[in-house]
Amino acid sequence: MIIIMLGAQGTGKGTVAGLISEATGIPQISTGDIFRKNISEKTELGIEADKYISKGELVPDDITVPMVDDRLSWDDAKEGAILDGFPRTIEQAKKLDEILTKKGKKVDLVINLVTPRDEIIDRMLTRRVCTNPDCKATYNIKLHPPIKEGICDKCGSPLKQREDDKNADAIKKRLEIYEEKTSPLIDFYKNKGVLRTEEISISINRMGTDVAKDIVNDIKK
Ligand code: ADP
Ligand code: ZN
């Protein structure tokens, strides 16, 4: 089953994807995580990608698309994948369709997460990530804090704020790019009949854990 996570930054895509992955065994493939791992390991791909990421810009398709294509060919993705952070443009969505068609697959479900704007900014500022590139668990110091302050529950490594979450200009830029380039994907997938929109907000007391639970129940039906 191929699942795509859609939604602006800070809506909780990574958290929801992680929970669905844990419950179903379908691997979570996060392009942002793959880039950050490469940046921390100073690989050629990481050095190139960081030029764009540090400014809040999208990494060009000639880097991103082959990276995803390759990752989808790994053994663990034979039965499916939860794509988190890809596609982000109509172009990428079309390329994804080509990649999947070659593998005899298609996009089965697109989970579109929606959160009010003021909550989004707040969440990006309070987000913390595990510094262990093989763990990369995400926390929120207000909504979903680790048991021990500054330490990852899962692996014990220190937590830190993402570089692009510290930079207010980069945050603004990412949200603008989301509106302009990524939000058209909502209609793209609605037209294919695979879109499922879920609101996550404190105002309706519905958080990522609630959404993940409902989706997992439906998948397992
Ligand atoms: P966010 O959702 O907060 O932007 P991600 O972890 O998904 O965070 O991505 C971090 C950065 O990695 C993005 O700002 C962008 O520069 C780059 N990136 C991630 N996925 C893609 C993609 N599909 N296409 C281009 N760039 C990407
Ligand atoms: Zn960790």
Side-chain angles (χ1 to χ4, degrees), residues 9 13 31-33 35-36 52-53 56-59 64 85-88 92 124 127 162 164 174:
Q9 288 75 6
K13 287 190 300 280
T31 42
D33 285 344
F35 285 135
R36 280 185 289 279
Y52 302 90
I53 294 177
E57 288 168 10
L58 291 183
V59 178
T64 308
F86 185 93
R88 278 190 200 233
Q92 288 185 358
M124 288 168 84
R127 168 157 68 184
R162 266 171 52 177
D164 55 352
R174 280 149 64 207

Side-chain angles (χ1 to χ4, degrees), residues 107-120:
V107 172
D108 299 291
L109 174 65
V110 178
I111 302 166
N112 175 37
L113 301 181
V114 182
T115 296
R117 184 69 164 219
D118 49 342
E119 281 184 49
I120 278 186

Side-chain angles (χ1 to χ4, degrees), residues 15 123-131 135-148 150-160 165:
T15 305
R123 274 195 220 173
M124 288 168 84
L125 295 170
T126 50
R127 168 157 68 184
R128 297 292 181 273
V129 291
C130 177
T131 47
C135 170
K136 63 213 176 341
T138 359
Y139 298 85
N140 183 290
I141 51 177
K142 272 200 210 157
L143 300 171
H144 169 223
I147 295 165
K148 189 157 177 259
I151 299 293
C152 178
D153 293 347
K154 289 190 183 150
C155 76
S157 302
L159 303 179
K160 65 158 193 198
D165 281 351

